[in-house]
Amino acid sequence: MDDKESPGRREEEPRGAYRLSDPVVAERFMALEALGHNSSDVIVVLNHGGFVVYGNPVAQQFFELSAEEGVGTDALGLIHPDDHDRVLQGFVGLMERPGGSIRESLRVVTPSGLEKELELVATNSFDNPAIGGVLVNGQDVTQRNRDQAELVSLAERFRVAFAENMAPMTFTDLEDRIIDVNDAMCEMVGYAREELVGRDSTTFTYVEDVGITEESHRRALAGTAPQTRYVKRYRRKDGRVITVEVSRATAVGPDGAPQYFVFSERDITEERKMTAELSKRALHDPLTGLANRSLFEDRLDQAHARARRHGGFGAVLLIDLDDFKGVNDTYGHVIGDELLAAIADRLRRVARSTDTLCRFGGDEFLVLVEEIASADQARVIAERVLEEMVAPFSLRGTTFVQRASIGVAIFDPSAEDVSTLVQSADIALYEAKRQGRGRAVVFTPSMHQEAVSRFTLAQDLSLAVERGEMSMAFQPIIDLANGEVVGYESLMRWHHPERGAVPPDVFIPLAEQSNLIYDLGAFALRAAAEGMTRLPRTDGYPPYVTVNLSARQFHDRNLPQLVAGALRHHDVAPHRLLLEITESVALEDITESLAIIEELTNLGVGIALDDFGTGFSSLSYLVQLRPRAIKIDQSFVRPAAPSPQSDAILELILLLGRKLGVMMIAEGIETPAQYNRLRGVNCRYGQGFLWSPAVRLDEVEDLIARLGESPPIDHSRRRRGRMSERHVVDE
Ligand code: C2E
Ligand code: MG
Ligand code: MG
């Protein structure tokens, strides 16, 4: 073999030049065998031309070639084409440096198509007679490289997942000591990495929530919750408290024992705020900030469940503002809204922290009171609410008094169902209003019965006009001086097909609660006007007739038109009609009342103040109202306990009327004694059962005849010839 042979010439070398049969080769081969047979390395010897002269068993396995196949193979042919140039260059260089060596890492493609990696040291050992070639000593690093590549990519994956994760992350050991945190975590809590590593999570955990971490660790170590998610608060370095959702995973060792914890955190402060705001909006009344109906119902159910479990009473207070509509109408909705908010504040003052306050809608509020010892306590709380309402409200320079009525419904541990509780409170509220407002009434089952019958009655009433069940009755008004009939009060009658006569004290308030009152009012005016065309004259003069107006009728914008229409339709002189309103209705809003009254009196009709003396008469207002008549309430005419004081009041009222030039009519005279007393204090007119109750129009003729024939009072000195017309405005 020529030492100077260049690899370029190897193509010309006969492939079989190194057959084992060649004794020279065979001898060398033996020496190599001794060298490589037991080595775990890949050992190959190449000749000048780069052909394989020898390959040990490991090499044979590695290259997938038997000794027979391998020897004489062009080594370059075993190498991955991409590595050819580099390897060839190295080999050529090596050939020029006897004893020199190169380190090479290359890829091999085996006959079966496997790609392997070989890390080798090639030594120019031509000078070594035992080798006489390039000794290649290599290791199969395929697996190692693969493992390494995997490791690298794992590390990279972890680096990206941890260090560069936008989500804050923390590693701790099992004692909660921080092993590492990522940048996002540092940013979230406002600490530098160095300030955290080595310390424990109490560094940034909100004091009150330290227990949450401890509990989670305890469960993780007990193996009940290797992975978990919880919410706790962190205190940032700058002191700001944030709410964080923490996901914790436990890393376990090969033995399955926990090694450390990995936390991924999420700042949910803003999210929480928003959901809280949204749910607040969904469950609260925006004006007052109180709970809305659905939240209230929820709380009521919970309270009911608690009462059943632990005993104790609960109560629902339904609070309704008296005449709140008036505030809105007079001062506008802005003030109305402010007043509602101010009322909500007062309710907050009365309520305990466990109570639920709710705006039920409009001017109605609900209070859910829990854990009271007795039904009486509910009443006490209701009274406190009423007391709280006593002080006037001051808004934008206006001062109001706003009273309320309260219906109370109570539940005890045995209550089956609370869904009807608000309804019961509503029934009690109705009762409170009926009893004169500004008070609290506790629901009783009998009220429910009444409510039911009220409801069916209201249904019947809505059809009563249409079905011809309504009529007007007329009660004569008498000149007490001579017993003459000078006018009539028209009073509405309802003949119910099953119940018979239903008194107006029952059906008028019922009608007032719905728009039915307008139908009834229109009917009354029409029927009274019709009656005026048929009522007998007294001494040739037509009598006057009074028609009662309820509060809502009085405030009805259509009233003047309705009155004028009824009079015109029956061709009745307006001055014969007197409209009765109670003094409380008239004085409720004096400015508005004066405007309405002016419109009515412009039509020519007169006003009579009904039930006079029962309200809080203000004399100056009385003068402004300029009524044509005042009807003295029956309680002065038939006092429960007559006394010199009540006589004095009666005398004063009469004196006042005379001074103002107003007709004074005493109501409800039943006995001659009452008659005499009224005459004794100079009361000029009166009505009452002493003469007659209200009768049907077709009975009036008979009534007049009967009164003429046998008057209940003997007016022997009766002055004849007085003209009825003149009674209308008394001397
Ligand atoms: P009011 O306007 O004060 O009517 C007087 C009431 O006293 C009438 O009762 C009358 O029948 C009754 N009364 C008259 N004389 C006597 C007496 O000597 N003794 C006793 N104990 N009572 C006497 P009525 O008809 O039951 O009406 C009750 C109330 O219903 C009326 O009180 C009035 O407020 C209302 N009302 C009656 N008719 C109408 C109507 O057409 N429209 C409106 N809005 N309300 C009406
Ligand atoms: Mg009346
Ligand atoms: Mg009256």
Side-chain angles (χ1 to χ4, degrees):
M1 285 191 292
D2 187 353
D3 273 2
K4 299 284 180 286
E5 235 177 18
S6 78
R9 287 173 52 220
R10 72 185 194 280
E11 307 292 345
E12 291 136 42
E13 295 232 17
R15 210 179 159 233
Y18 303 100
R19 291 224 167 263
L20 281 173
S21 51
D22 182 335
V24 183
V25 172
E27 193 201 314
R28 203 162 15 124
F29 208 67
M30 272 163 63
L32 284 171
E33 268 289 281
L35 182 83
H37 196 79
N38 293 320
S39 170
S40 58
D41 289 350
V42 171
I43 293 180
V44 172
V45 178
L46 307 175
N47 68 8
H48 280 110
F51 288 84
V52 175
V53 180
Y54 169 78
N56 72 345
V58 175
Q60 289 164 27
Q61 208 184 359
F62 181 76
F63 290 107
E64 293 175 10
L65 295 168
S66 66
E68 279 298 309
E69 292 165 328
V71 171
T73 304
D74 181 351
L76 212 53
L78 302 172
I79 296 169
H80 193 285
D82 288 356
D83 292 346
H84 278 183
D85 288 352
R86 185 168 47 84
V87 171
L88 196 58
Q89 251 175 29
F91 188 78
V92 169
L94 184 65
M95 286 313 215
E96 287 161 6
R97 292 186 285 119
S101 62
I102 53 168
R103 200 172 271 277
E104 200 63 76
S105 177
L106 52 84
R107 283 168 293 169
V108 165
V109 184
T110 67
S112 73
L114 285 179
E115 195 177 301
K116 297 184 176 178
E117 284 172 56
L118 193 65
E119 229 171 62
L120 57 85
V121 176
T123 313
N124 184 334
S125 303
F126 284 97
D127 292 347
N128 183 342
I131 298 170
V134 173
L135 176 68
V136 176
N137 190 324
Q139 276 106 35
D140 178 356
V141 293
T142 316
Q143 194 53 47
R144 195 199 72 194
N145 281 359
R146 223 167 260 165
D147 288 352
Q148 224 157 41
E150 197 129 288
L151 264 178
V152 167
S153 80
L154 247 179
E156 175 63 8
R157 260 187 272 163
F158 178 76
R159 195 186 65 76
V160 173
F162 179 74
E164 290 181 17
N165 201 329
M166 308 264 281
M169 291 183 83
T170 308
F171 275 88
T172 73
D173 65 14
L174 301 181
E175 272 79 55
D176 194 38
R177 232 185 330 276
I178 296 166
I179 300 168
D180 204 356
V181 289
N182 66 359
D183 290 348
M185 177 67 189
C186 293
E187 201 176 308
M188 186 176 80
V189 293
Y191 285 96
R193 190 171 167 276
E194 305 76 65
E195 292 176 292
L196 294 175
V197 171
R199 309 200 20 207
D200 61 36
S201 70
T202 55
T203 311
F204 48 72
T205 301
Y206 187 64
V207 186
E208 284 175 29
D209 290 354
V210 168
I212 297 177
T213 325
E214 285 168 358
E215 169 66 10
S216 154
H217 279 47
R218 199 188 54 69
R219 287 172 58 204
L221 295 176
T224 50
Q227 282 184 328
T228 179
R229 180 173 294 187
Y230 53 88
V231 171
K232 70 174 189 181
R233 284 165 296 175
Y234 283 6
R235 183 188 282 284
R236 285 169 46 89
K237 192 180 181 183
D238 62 16
R240 192 155 62 80
V241 175
I242 56 175
T243 308
V244 178
E245 184 190 72
V246 183
S247 307
R248 191 218 58 215
T250 310
V252 292
D255 56 351
Q259 302 271 293
Y260 54 87
F261 296 130
V262 185
F263 298 90
S264 167
E265 286 115 326
R266 196 159 68 88
D267 181 351
I268 56 168
T269 316
E270 284 307 308
E271 202 177 296
R272 276 279 163 115
K273 247 188 240 160
M274 244 162 64
T275 36
E277 180 59 32
L278 279 177
S279 78
K280 193 170 178 275
R281 260 186 242 171
L283 296 173
H284 290 80
D285 165 51
L287 176 64
T288 59
L290 302 184
N292 66 10
R293 272 178 199 220
S294 62
L295 180 57
F296 182 87
E297 278 159 16
D298 229 49
R299 297 264 175 90
L300 179 57
D301 283 341
Q302 289 167 16
H304 180 223
R306 272 193 292 274
R308 286 183 77 106
R309 246 180 293 135
H310 309 301
F313 290 78
V316 168
L317 277 59
L318 176 56
I319 302 165
D320 185 282
L321 306 183
D322 296 336
D323 304 318
F324 176 72
K325 191 179 168 294
V327 175
N328 261 343
D329 291 351
T330 314
Y331 302 103
H333 287 270
V334 175
I335 294 248
D337 284 356
E338 283 180 18
L339 182 57
L340 288 171
I343 284 163
D345 286 340
R346 292 217 181 159
L347 291 178
R348 285 190 182 96
R349 278 196 241 162
V350 182
R352 300 167 307 169
S353 61
T354 48
D355 299 343
T356 299
L357 295 173
C358 161
R359 172 142 179 247
F360 196 48
D363 60 346
E364 289 187 325
F365 296 86
L366 281 167
V367 184
L368 169 62
V369 186
E370 279 190 69
E371 288 171 29
I372 49 175
S374 67
D376 271 348
Q377 212 179 327
R379 191 190 298 277
V380 170
I381 294 169
E383 294 297 338
R384 273 222 303 278
V385 172
L386 292 178
E387 275 165 34
E388 194 61 51
M389 303 293 284
V390 167
F393 292 86
S394 237
L395 298 169
R396 300 183 182 233
T398 314
T399 304
F400 313 85
V401 174
Q402 179 62 66
R403 295 288 157 83
S405 304
I406 305 180
V408 183
I410 293 161
F411 61 96
D412 60 28
S414 70
E416 291 285 319
D417 180 19
V418 288
S419 64
T420 54
L421 218 59
V422 173
Q423 198 190 323
S424 301
D426 196 22
I427 292 170
L429 174 66
Y430 176 89
E431 192 54 30
K433 296 225 164 198
R434 204 188 59 79
Q435 287 179 17
R437 304 172 161 199
R439 67 188 68 214
V441 169
V442 178
F443 174 80
T444 60
S446 70
M447 284 180 201
H448 178 69
Q449 259 331 90
E450 285 160 27
V452 169
S453 79
R454 232 179 4 247
F455 178 75
T456 49
L457 203 62
Q459 298 262 298
D460 294 345
L461 184 60
S462 66
L463 299 167
V465 175
E466 207 175 292
R467 289 179 174 166
E469 293 165 10
M470 307 308 297
S471 62
M472 290 309 267
F474 297 85
Q475 182 178 38
I477 296 169
I478 312 291
D479 181 343
L480 299 182
N482 56 24
E484 264 176 24
V485 174
V486 292
Y488 298 87
E489 174 171 12
S490 70
L491 292 159
M492 203 182 300
R493 296 291 174 255
W494 179 18
H495 185 82
H496 189 280
E498 286 131 37
R499 301 186 195 210
V502 179
D505 287 335
V506 171
F507 70 78
I508 295 289
L510 206 57
E512 275 260 282
Q513 285 164 34
S514 66
N515 290 337
L516 267 181
I517 191 67
Y518 300 123
D519 292 349
L520 293 187
F523 169 82
L525 282 165
R526 281 196 312 268
E530 195 209 334
M532 289 163 90
T533 62
R534 292 166 53 194
L535 286 166
R537 295 173 167 239
T538 309
D539 285 346
Y541 289 95
Y544 62 84
V545 167
T546 73
V547 173
N548 292 281
L549 295 181
S550 71
R552 278 182 68 196
Q553 279 176 275
F554 178 65
H555 290 105
D556 177 16
R557 293 192 181 287
N558 287 324
L559 180 67
Q561 210 183 324
L562 212 63
V563 171
L567 293 172
R568 212 179 318 114
H569 188 260
H570 292 284
D571 196 20
V572 178
H575 71 269
R576 290 182 59 203
L577 180 65
L578 291 182
L579 297 172
E580 293 192 15
I581 53 171
T582 62
E583 63 172 328
S584 54
V585 167
L587 298 183
E588 194 178 83
D589 178 348
I590 188 73
T591 324
E592 195 193 347
S593 294
L594 285 172
I596 297 170
I597 288 173
E598 187 179 314
E599 230 183 311
L600 293 170
T601 48
N602 282 345
L603 296 173
V605 303
I607 296 295
L609 282 184
D610 203 357
D611 302 346
F612 192 81
T614 54
F616 306 91
S617 321
S618 154
L619 295 185
S620 65
Y621 286 157
L622 195 60
V623 177
Q624 288 183 57
L625 288 172
R626 301 206 149 278
R628 207 185 291 169
I630 287 178
K631 303 189 73 177
I632 301 163
D633 192 69
Q634 309 195 6
S635 56
F636 292 97
V637 176
R638 303 192 313 273
S643 66
Q645 281 90 340
S646 65
D647 281 4
I649 296 173
L650 187 61
E651 272 195 78
L652 264 173
I653 293 174
L654 287 162
L655 184 67
L656 174 77
R658 249 197 314 279
K659 291 276 176 218
L660 293 175
V662 179
M663 282 177 75
M664 302 303 281
I665 307 170
E667 288 189 288
I669 305 168
E670 292 181 352
T671 64
Q674 288 157 7
Y675 167 84
N676 287 330
R677 176 164 162 266
L678 287 159
R679 282 310 286 156
V681 288
N682 280 320
C683 180
R684 180 65 191 271
Y685 303 101
Q687 63 187 99
F689 295 167
L690 180 59
W691 293 274
S692 168
V695 297
R696 289 202 313 268
L697 195 54
D698 57 17
E699 294 171 334
V700 173
E701 293 278 2
D702 285 353
L703 171 65
I704 298 287
R706 208 173 62 236
L707 287 176
E709 281 159 23
S710 53
I713 299 295
D714 176 22
H715 297 281
S716 45
R717 295 186 297 113
R718 152 175 144 175
R719 288 179 284 163
R720 297 220 50 105
R722 175 170 289 278
M723 297 180 296
S724 297
E725 285 287 285
R726 285 173 50 209
H727 293 299
V728 173
V729 182
D730 201 21
E731 71 261 355

